[in-house]
Amino acid sequence: MSSLGPAMVSPFRAADITAVVGTEARGFVFGAMCANALGVGLVLARKPGSIHPGNNVVTTSDPDWRGRRITFEISRILGPSDRVLLVDDWIETGSQADAVRRAIEICGAEFVGTSVIVDQTTPSRRSALRVSSLVKATELPPDTAGRN
């Protein structure tokens, strides 16, 4: 656990990140590790049904790998001086990450990239979201989490 946050942020060390956004739910844990490794704040991208105090930006994803559209809310505490790293555990279609990226940009912040543990997305989405991963899904054994 102590090396996971530093490993996930390593490709972004020189990017002057000022905040990390972690997506609900596992992204909260990995986002906290990454924010700690960078010495910056953590902003949570929450799904409906959570407490969302204050002024928020709301975005909805295109269908994800299960065909669901997911709504995210993030606090408007991000602004034009922020350079933001998005963190989650696994990226498949990239639709959820893209929705959170849009929310970051609506806040006026600069989206720097996406750090995940497992990358299963397409080359075009990987490029658009500037994805860095620790492993590609194709490198995992078959039946890992039932996803490949």
Side-chain angles (χ1 to χ4, degrees):
M1 293 293 285
S2 65
S3 62
L4 189 54
M8 289 181 76
V9 301
S10 179
F12 300 97
R13 281 263 179 218
D16 296 320
I17 304 293
T18 62
V20 169
V21 171
T23 56
E24 191 168 341
R26 289 178 294 273
F28 289 3
V29 175
F30 300 117
M33 286 189 249
C34 290
N36 183 62
L38 290 169
V40 301
L42 174 66
V43 177
L44 305 178
R46 296 182 174 274
K47 295 177 182 174
S50 302
I51 298 172
H52 305 281
N55 188 6
N56 298 305
V57 170
V58 179
T59 57
T60 301
S61 73
D62 290 334
D64 67 8
W65 66 282
R66 291 182 181 154
R68 302 171 303 171
R69 292 181 183 272
I70 306 295
T71 298
F72 291 96
E73 292 187 39
I74 67 169
S75 175
R76 283 194 183 266
I77 60 173
L78 298 172
S81 63
D82 287 306
R83 295 177 47 80
V84 181
L85 177 64
L86 172 59
V87 173
D88 207 351
D89 64 330
W90 195 302
I91 188 168
E92 297 93 0
T93 66
S95 62
Q96 292 183 29
D98 191 55
V100 175
R101 178 199 52 82
R102 286 193 319 269
I104 291 166
E105 292 172 345
I106 289 169
C107 288
E110 182 180 350
F111 172 80
V112 174
T114 306
S115 183
V116 296
I117 297 173
V118 181
D119 176 3
Q120 189 176 358
T121 196
T122 64
S124 62
R125 188 70 89 154
R126 184 176 302 114
S127 176
L129 292 170
R130 297 176 221 132
V131 175
S132 175
S133 66
L134 298 181
V135 297
K136 301 277 190 269
T138 56
E139 299 169 338
L140 297 173
D143 299 325
T144 302
R147 294 185 178 186
N148 59 344

PDB file of all heavy atoms in Angstrom, residues 110-136:
ATOM      1  N   GLU A 110      -7.513  22.736 -15.068  1.00  0.00           N
ATOM      2  CA  GLU A 110      -6.860  22.052 -16.175  1.00  0.00           C
ATOM      3  C   GLU A 110      -6.757  20.560 -15.866  1.00  0.00           C
ATOM      4  O   GLU A 110      -6.205  20.164 -14.839  1.00  0.00           O
ATOM      5  CB  GLU A 110      -5.461  22.611 -16.412  1.00  0.00           C
ATOM      6  CG  GLU A 110      -4.746  21.974 -17.573  1.00  0.00           C
ATOM      7  CD  GLU A 110      -3.359  22.540 -17.806  1.00  0.00           C
ATOM      8  OE1 GLU A 110      -3.000  23.554 -17.187  1.00  0.00           O
ATOM      9  OE2 GLU A 110      -2.642  21.948 -18.625  1.00  0.00           O
ATOM     10  N   PHE A 111      -7.288  19.746 -16.739  1.00  0.00           N
ATOM     11  CA  PHE A 111      -7.197  18.293 -16.624  1.00  0.00           C
ATOM     12  C   PHE A 111      -5.824  17.877 -17.137  1.00  0.00           C
ATOM     13  O   PHE A 111      -5.475  18.157 -18.279  1.00  0.00           O
ATOM     14  CB  PHE A 111      -8.316  17.648 -17.443  1.00  0.00           C
ATOM     15  CG  PHE A 111      -8.206  16.153 -17.537  1.00  0.00           C
ATOM     16  CD1 PHE A 111      -8.620  15.350 -16.493  1.00  0.00           C
ATOM     17  CD2 PHE A 111      -7.687  15.556 -18.681  1.00  0.00           C
ATOM     18  CE1 PHE A 111      -8.517  13.969 -16.575  1.00  0.00           C
ATOM     19  CE2 PHE A 111      -7.589  14.185 -18.778  1.00  0.00           C
ATOM     20  CZ  PHE A 111      -7.994  13.386 -17.725  1.00  0.00           C
ATOM     21  N   VAL A 112      -5.043  17.200 -16.290  1.00  0.00           N
ATOM     22  CA  VAL A 112      -3.684  16.813 -16.667  1.00  0.00           C
ATOM     23  C   VAL A 112      -3.618  15.380 -17.181  1.00  0.00           C
ATOM     24  O   VAL A 112      -2.894  15.084 -18.122  1.00  0.00           O
ATOM     25  CB  VAL A 112      -2.716  17.007 -15.474  1.00  0.00           C
ATOM     26  CG1 VAL A 112      -1.331  16.482 -15.794  1.00  0.00           C
ATOM     27  CG2 VAL A 112      -2.655  18.479 -15.090  1.00  0.00           C
ATOM     28  N   GLY A 113      -4.389  14.489 -16.566  1.00  0.00           N
ATOM     29  CA  GLY A 113      -4.348  13.096 -16.999  1.00  0.00           C
ATOM     30  C   GLY A 113      -5.106  12.194 -16.053  1.00  0.00           C
ATOM     31  O   GLY A 113      -5.703  12.650 -15.077  1.00  0.00           O
ATOM     32  N   THR A 114      -5.053  10.898 -16.358  1.00  0.00           N
ATOM     33  CA  THR A 114      -5.754   9.879 -15.589  1.00  0.00           C
ATOM     34  C   THR A 114      -4.762   8.803 -15.182  1.00  0.00           C
ATOM     35  O   THR A 114      -4.017   8.292 -16.021  1.00  0.00           O
ATOM     36  CB  THR A 114      -6.856   9.215 -16.449  1.00  0.00           C
ATOM     37  OG1 THR A 114      -7.708  10.226 -16.984  1.00  0.00           O
ATOM     38  CG2 THR A 114      -7.670   8.236 -15.645  1.00  0.00           C
ATOM     39  N   SER A 115      -4.775   8.453 -13.916  1.00  0.00           N
ATOM     40  CA  SER A 115      -3.929   7.378 -13.425  1.00  0.00           C
ATOM     41  C   SER A 115      -4.817   6.269 -12.885  1.00  0.00           C
ATOM     42  O   SER A 115      -5.699   6.513 -12.061  1.00  0.00           O
ATOM     43  CB  SER A 115      -2.995   7.880 -12.321  1.00  0.00           C
ATOM     44  OG  SER A 115      -2.139   6.833 -11.904  1.00  0.00           O
ATOM     45  N   VAL A 116      -4.599   5.057 -13.376  1.00  0.00           N
ATOM     46  CA  VAL A 116      -5.377   3.898 -12.953  1.00  0.00           C
ATOM     47  C   VAL A 116      -4.437   2.730 -12.675  1.00  0.00           C
ATOM     48  O   VAL A 116      -3.289   2.722 -13.122  1.00  0.00           O
ATOM     49  CB  VAL A 116      -6.419   3.486 -14.015  1.00  0.00           C
ATOM     50  CG1 VAL A 116      -7.454   4.578 -14.220  1.00  0.00           C
ATOM     51  CG2 VAL A 116      -5.760   3.120 -15.332  1.00  0.00           C
ATOM     52  N   ILE A 117      -4.970   1.762 -11.986  1.00  0.00           N
ATOM     53  CA  ILE A 117      -4.191   0.547 -11.771  1.00  0.00           C
ATOM     54  C   ILE A 117      -4.258  -0.317 -13.023  1.00  0.00           C
ATOM     55  O   ILE A 117      -3.237  -0.770 -13.524  1.00  0.00           O
ATOM     56  CB  ILE A 117      -4.691  -0.220 -10.531  1.00  0.00           C
ATOM     57  CG1 ILE A 117      -4.473   0.651  -9.287  1.00  0.00           C
ATOM     58  CG2 ILE A 117      -3.970  -1.558 -10.392  1.00  0.00           C
ATOM     59  CD1 ILE A 117      -5.058   0.102  -8.021  1.00  0.00           C
ATOM     60  N   VAL A 118      -5.483  -0.556 -13.549  1.00  0.00           N
ATOM     61  CA  VAL A 118      -5.662  -1.420 -14.712  1.00  0.00           C
ATOM     62  C   VAL A 118      -6.281  -0.635 -15.868  1.00  0.00           C
ATOM     63  O   VAL A 118      -7.300   0.025 -15.705  1.00  0.00           O
ATOM     64  CB  VAL A 118      -6.563  -2.632 -14.376  1.00  0.00           C
ATOM     65  CG1 VAL A 118      -6.724  -3.536 -15.599  1.00  0.00           C
ATOM     66  CG2 VAL A 118      -6.003  -3.420 -13.201  1.00  0.00           C
ATOM     67  N   ASP A 119      -5.664  -0.744 -17.026  1.00  0.00           N
ATOM     68  CA  ASP A 119      -6.138  -0.089 -18.249  1.00  0.00           C
ATOM     69  C   ASP A 119      -6.686  -1.137 -19.205  1.00  0.00           C
ATOM     70  O   ASP A 119      -5.977  -2.041 -19.621  1.00  0.00           O
ATOM     71  CB  ASP A 119      -4.983   0.669 -18.893  1.00  0.00           C
ATOM     72  CG  ASP A 119      -5.338   1.314 -20.218  1.00  0.00           C
ATOM     73  OD1 ASP A 119      -6.505   1.240 -20.650  1.00  0.00           O
ATOM     74  OD2 ASP A 119      -4.425   1.876 -20.837  1.00  0.00           O
ATOM     75  N   GLN A 120      -7.960  -0.973 -19.547  1.00  0.00           N
ATOM     76  CA  GLN A 120      -8.607  -1.869 -20.504  1.00  0.00           C
ATOM     77  C   GLN A 120      -9.285  -1.062 -21.619  1.00  0.00           C
ATOM     78  O   GLN A 120     -10.115  -1.558 -22.347  1.00  0.00           O
ATOM     79  CB  GLN A 120      -9.647  -2.734 -19.767  1.00  0.00           C
ATOM     80  CG  GLN A 120     -10.227  -3.848 -20.580  1.00  0.00           C
ATOM     81  CD  GLN A 120     -11.182  -4.714 -19.762  1.00  0.00           C
ATOM     82  OE1 GLN A 120     -11.390  -4.512 -18.578  1.00  0.00           O
ATOM     83  NE2 GLN A 120     -11.764  -5.692 -20.410  1.00  0.00           N
ATOM     84  N   THR A 121      -8.933   0.199 -21.764  1.00  0.00           N
ATOM     85  CA  THR A 121      -9.620   1.057 -22.721  1.00  0.00           C
ATOM     86  C   THR A 121      -8.963   1.017 -24.102  1.00  0.00           C
ATOM     87  O   THR A 121      -7.920   0.392 -24.294  1.00  0.00           O
ATOM     88  CB  THR A 121      -9.735   2.490 -22.165  1.00  0.00           C
ATOM     89  OG1 THR A 121     -10.712   3.190 -22.921  1.00  0.00           O
ATOM     90  CG2 THR A 121      -8.422   3.244 -22.206  1.00  0.00           C
ATOM     91  N   THR A 122      -9.582   1.704 -25.031  1.00  0.00           N
ATOM     92  CA  THR A 122      -9.085   1.728 -26.402  1.00  0.00           C
ATOM     93  C   THR A 122      -7.931   2.722 -26.542  1.00  0.00           C
ATOM     94  O   THR A 122      -7.808   3.657 -25.750  1.00  0.00           O
ATOM     95  CB  THR A 122     -10.206   2.152 -27.372  1.00  0.00           C
ATOM     96  OG1 THR A 122     -10.587   3.497 -27.050  1.00  0.00           O
ATOM     97  CG2 THR A 122     -11.400   1.216 -27.272  1.00  0.00           C
ATOM     98  N   PRO A 123      -7.106   2.548 -27.562  1.00  0.00           N
ATOM     99  CA  PRO A 123      -6.007   3.495 -27.766  1.00  0.00           C
ATOM    100  C   PRO A 123      -6.483   4.944 -27.911  1.00  0.00           C
ATOM    101  O   PRO A 123      -5.850   5.856 -27.369  1.00  0.00           O
ATOM    102  CB  PRO A 123      -5.338   2.993 -29.048  1.00  0.00           C
ATOM    103  CG  PRO A 123      -5.618   1.521 -29.053  1.00  0.00           C
ATOM    104  CD  PRO A 123      -7.012   1.408 -28.487  1.00  0.00           C
ATOM    105  N   SER A 124      -7.581   5.175 -28.620  1.00  0.00           N
ATOM    106  CA  SER A 124      -8.040   6.559 -28.801  1.00  0.00           C
ATOM    107  C   SER A 124      -8.514   7.162 -27.478  1.00  0.00           C
ATOM    108  O   SER A 124      -8.229   8.327 -27.182  1.00  0.00           O
ATOM    109  CB  SER A 124      -9.141   6.647 -29.855  1.00  0.00           C
ATOM    110  OG  SER A 124     -10.273   5.904 -29.457  1.00  0.00           O
ATOM    111  N   ARG A 125      -9.235   6.408 -26.677  1.00  0.00           N
ATOM    112  CA  ARG A 125      -9.702   6.910 -25.374  1.00  0.00           C
ATOM    113  C   ARG A 125      -8.514   7.091 -24.429  1.00  0.00           C
ATOM    114  O   ARG A 125      -8.454   8.051 -23.685  1.00  0.00           O
ATOM    115  CB  ARG A 125     -10.723   5.941 -24.788  1.00  0.00           C
ATOM    116  CG  ARG A 125     -11.396   6.457 -23.536  1.00  0.00           C
ATOM    117  CD  ARG A 125     -12.330   7.615 -23.826  1.00  0.00           C
ATOM    118  NE  ARG A 125     -13.639   7.105 -24.128  1.00  0.00           N
ATOM    119  CZ  ARG A 125     -14.747   7.767 -23.945  1.00  0.00           C
ATOM    120  NH1 ARG A 125     -14.733   8.990 -23.451  1.00  0.00           N
ATOM    121  NH2 ARG A 125     -15.892   7.242 -24.275  1.00  0.00           N
ATOM    122  N   ARG A 126      -7.553   6.154 -24.482  1.00  0.00           N
ATOM    123  CA  ARG A 126      -6.348   6.241 -23.652  1.00  0.00           C
ATOM    124  C   ARG A 126      -5.616   7.552 -23.940  1.00  0.00           C
ATOM    125  O   ARG A 126      -5.181   8.250 -23.031  1.00  0.00           O
ATOM    126  CB  ARG A 126      -5.441   5.042 -23.943  1.00  0.00           C
ATOM    127  CG  ARG A 126      -4.203   4.946 -23.108  1.00  0.00           C
ATOM    128  CD  ARG A 126      -3.415   3.659 -23.408  1.00  0.00           C
ATOM    129  NE  ARG A 126      -4.252   2.490 -23.188  1.00  0.00           N
ATOM    130  CZ  ARG A 126      -4.642   1.652 -24.151  1.00  0.00           C
ATOM    131  NH1 ARG A 126      -4.255   1.823 -25.400  1.00  0.00           N
ATOM    132  NH2 ARG A 126      -5.406   0.615 -23.869  1.00  0.00           N
ATOM    133  N   SER A 127      -5.514   7.885 -25.204  1.00  0.00           N
ATOM    134  CA  SER A 127      -4.845   9.115 -25.598  1.00  0.00           C
ATOM    135  C   SER A 127      -5.634  10.346 -25.158  1.00  0.00           C
ATOM    136  O   SER A 127      -5.070  11.296 -24.612  1.00  0.00           O
ATOM    137  CB  SER A 127      -4.642   9.120 -27.114  1.00  0.00           C
ATOM    138  OG  SER A 127      -4.076  10.324 -27.537  1.00  0.00           O
ATOM    139  N   ALA A 128      -6.939  10.346 -25.402  1.00  0.00           N
ATOM    140  CA  ALA A 128      -7.779  11.499 -25.060  1.00  0.00           C
ATOM    141  C   ALA A 128      -7.782  11.782 -23.563  1.00  0.00           C
ATOM    142  O   ALA A 128      -7.822  12.939 -23.146  1.00  0.00           O
ATOM    143  CB  ALA A 128      -9.205  11.264 -25.557  1.00  0.00           C
ATOM    144  N   LEU A 129      -7.737  10.731 -22.756  1.00  0.00           N
ATOM    145  CA  LEU A 129      -7.772  10.895 -21.298  1.00  0.00           C
ATOM    146  C   LEU A 129      -6.379  10.874 -20.672  1.00  0.00           C
ATOM    147  O   LEU A 129      -6.241  10.929 -19.463  1.00  0.00           O
ATOM    148  CB  LEU A 129      -8.648   9.811 -20.664  1.00  0.00           C
ATOM    149  CG  LEU A 129     -10.129   9.916 -20.985  1.00  0.00           C
ATOM    150  CD1 LEU A 129     -10.874   8.667 -20.526  1.00  0.00           C
ATOM    151  CD2 LEU A 129     -10.727  11.164 -20.344  1.00  0.00           C
ATOM    152  N   ARG A 130      -5.363  10.773 -21.522  1.00  0.00           N
ATOM    153  CA  ARG A 130      -3.970  10.747 -21.060  1.00  0.00           C
ATOM    154  C   ARG A 130      -3.782   9.733 -19.931  1.00  0.00           C
ATOM    155  O   ARG A 130      -3.336  10.073 -18.834  1.00  0.00           O
ATOM    156  CB  ARG A 130      -3.517  12.138 -20.639  1.00  0.00           C
ATOM    157  CG  ARG A 130      -3.544  13.112 -21.792  1.00  0.00           C
ATOM    158  CD  ARG A 130      -3.201  14.529 -21.379  1.00  0.00           C
ATOM    159  NE  ARG A 130      -4.110  15.401 -22.104  1.00  0.00           N
ATOM    160  CZ  ARG A 130      -4.799  16.377 -21.569  1.00  0.00           C
ATOM    161  NH1 ARG A 130      -4.681  16.658 -20.304  1.00  0.00           N
ATOM    162  NH2 ARG A 130      -5.612  17.108 -22.293  1.00  0.00           N
ATOM    163  N   VAL A 131      -4.141   8.496 -20.222  1.00  0.00           N
ATOM    164  CA  VAL A 131      -4.145   7.430 -19.217  1.00  0.00           C
ATOM    165  C   VAL A 131      -2.751   6.863 -18.999  1.00  0.00           C
ATOM    166  O   VAL A 131      -2.048   6.517 -19.946  1.00  0.00           O
ATOM    167  CB  VAL A 131      -5.104   6.291 -19.637  1.00  0.00           C
ATOM    168  CG1 VAL A 131      -5.023   5.124 -18.651  1.00  0.00           C
ATOM    169  CG2 VAL A 131      -6.524   6.808 -19.743  1.00  0.00           C
ATOM    170  N   SER A 132      -2.409   6.751 -17.729  1.00  0.00           N
ATOM    171  CA  SER A 132      -1.224   6.018 -17.309  1.00  0.00           C
ATOM    172  C   SER A 132      -1.712   4.924 -16.369  1.00  0.00           C
ATOM    173  O   SER A 132      -2.535   5.181 -15.488  1.00  0.00           O
ATOM    174  CB  SER A 132      -0.252   6.946 -16.576  1.00  0.00           C
ATOM    175  OG  SER A 132       0.836   6.199 -16.079  1.00  0.00           O
ATOM    176  N   SER A 133      -1.213   3.703 -16.571  1.00  0.00           N
ATOM    177  CA  SER A 133      -1.651   2.588 -15.737  1.00  0.00           C
ATOM    178  C   SER A 133      -0.460   1.783 -15.242  1.00  0.00           C
ATOM    179  O   SER A 133       0.634   1.848 -15.810  1.00  0.00           O
ATOM    180  CB  SER A 133      -2.581   1.674 -16.531  1.00  0.00           C
ATOM    181  OG  SER A 133      -1.871   1.045 -17.576  1.00  0.00           O
ATOM    182  N   LEU A 134      -0.713   1.011 -14.196  1.00  0.00           N
ATOM    183  CA  LEU A 134       0.317   0.112 -13.703  1.00  0.00           C
ATOM    184  C   LEU A 134       0.363  -1.170 -14.520  1.00  0.00           C
ATOM    185  O   LEU A 134       1.436  -1.733 -14.716  1.00  0.00           O
ATOM    186  CB  LEU A 134       0.088  -0.203 -12.222  1.00  0.00           C
ATOM    187  CG  LEU A 134       0.149   1.009 -11.293  1.00  0.00           C
ATOM    188  CD1 LEU A 134      -0.066   0.579  -9.851  1.00  0.00           C
ATOM    189  CD2 LEU A 134       1.458   1.771 -11.435  1.00  0.00           C
ATOM    190  N   VAL A 135      -0.819  -1.630 -14.993  1.00  0.00           N
ATOM    191  CA  VAL A 135      -0.880  -2.815 -15.857  1.00  0.00           C
ATOM    192  C   VAL A 135      -1.992  -2.639 -16.886  1.00  0.00           C
ATOM    193  O   VAL A 135      -2.936  -1.884 -16.680  1.00  0.00           O
ATOM    194  CB  VAL A 135      -1.134  -4.128 -15.066  1.00  0.00           C
ATOM    195  CG1 VAL A 135      -0.011  -4.432 -14.116  1.00  0.00           C
ATOM    196  CG2 VAL A 135      -2.458  -4.109 -14.367  1.00  0.00           C
ATOM    197  N   LYS A 136      -1.863  -3.353 -17.976  1.00  0.00           N
ATOM    198  CA  LYS A 136      -2.931  -3.439 -18.975  1.00  0.00           C
ATOM    199  C   LYS A 136      -3.757  -4.684 -18.646  1.00  0.00           C
ATOM    200  O   LYS A 136      -3.228  -5.687 -18.158  1.00  0.00           O
ATOM    201  CB  LYS A 136      -2.341  -3.587 -20.382  1.00  0.00           C
ATOM    202  CG  LYS A 136      -1.434  -2.449 -20.793  1.00  0.00           C
ATOM    203  CD  LYS A 136      -2.220  -1.285 -21.310  1.00  0.00           C
ATOM    204  CE  LYS A 136      -1.342  -0.237 -21.944  1.00  0.00           C
ATOM    205  NZ  LYS A 136      -0.883   0.783 -21.050  1.00  0.00           N
TER     206      LYS A 136
END
